[in-house]
Amino acid sequence: MKKTILFIFAILACHVSHAQYFCTTEGTELHYVSYDEAGQSVSNETAVVGYAGRNGENVSASYINKIVTNKQKGDTSYTRFDWNYDGNQTVCVEDLMFGPYIDSDSDPAKYDTAARTAMQEELKFKGNNALVLKRQAKAGESMPDRSYSLIANMLKNEITISGATYMGEERISTTAGKFDCLKISYLKRTKVLLKSTTHRINEWYAEGIGLVKSESFDMKGKPAGKTLLVKIVK
């Protein structure tokens, strides 16, 4: 009887630790490869779980992502994703201030709320870029629209996410393994000055991992690129 209780407890503990759509094991590396519309590799990205914590039902983690573009000499950039799970939904916010902060040759160790706020003012960031993923969402259930803007490369960028919908669950296989994922789909409109482009984006997220696959299409249905999780290093 005692062994049965311990076994059930272990299962429940494992389920709780993976209820969120992100990894909470510090130091874990998630390796991605992005491809262009022709299927050619254009960049390699490594997300490292740099922090993870728990406060009651709230679970949080931060990914520091290093992106290396496949150019002749290579071009490296950084971004950061902050994740939180409240027992019902996962919220992911890409910290769009982190990359410009690193590019300014500032000390990464000194990046804090004050530094982020200063960069937000400098880049005139406005809006909401938080992705919200509900557990056990039903296929066809809609997701809130969101939009944000900022100054990038001295140009104002306006991004609008609309028509987002949960598409149900789907198993995805990559070189990193097989994952039971929640699939979502949405339209992403990017406007720079007077020029705007719109793509249909499909994404797959696995509990305890995060993004497994992303693919984009132009409004005529032609492939515009994709990103795949190719390796997990713990």
Side-chain angles (χ1 to χ4, degrees), residues 30 78 84 114:
L30 306 174
Y78 294 87
N84 185 74

Side-chain angles (χ1 to χ4, degrees), residues 69-151:
T69 303
N70 300 339
K71 295 182 179 180
Q72 187 172 3
K73 294 184 179 180
D75 184 16
T76 302
S77 60
Y78 294 87
T79 190
R80 167 177 167 152
F81 291 87
D82 293 317
W83 300 81
N84 185 74
Y85 175 69
D86 64 3
N88 177 51
Q89 61 185 23
T90 294
V91 179
C92 175
V93 178
E94 182 178 4
D95 188 344
L96 299 169
M97 308 303 110
F98 184 76
Y101 177 85
I102 298 299
D103 291 341
S104 67
D105 292 328
S106 300
D107 185 357
K110 294 182 179 180
Y111 186 73
D112 54 15
T113 301
R116 181 186 298 112
T117 300
M119 290 302 301
Q120 286 178 335
E121 294 177 355
E122 181 178 337
L123 300 181
K124 302 185 184 305
F125 176 84
K126 295 180 180 180
N128 171 30
N129 68 323
L131 168 67
V132 179
L133 299 173
K134 293 169 56 178
R135 292 192 66 240
Q136 300 178 337
K138 297 180 180 179
E141 185 176 345
S142 62
M143 305 170 68
D145 293 346
R146 62 188 191 276
S147 62
Y148 57 96
S149 64
L150 75 163
I151 303 298

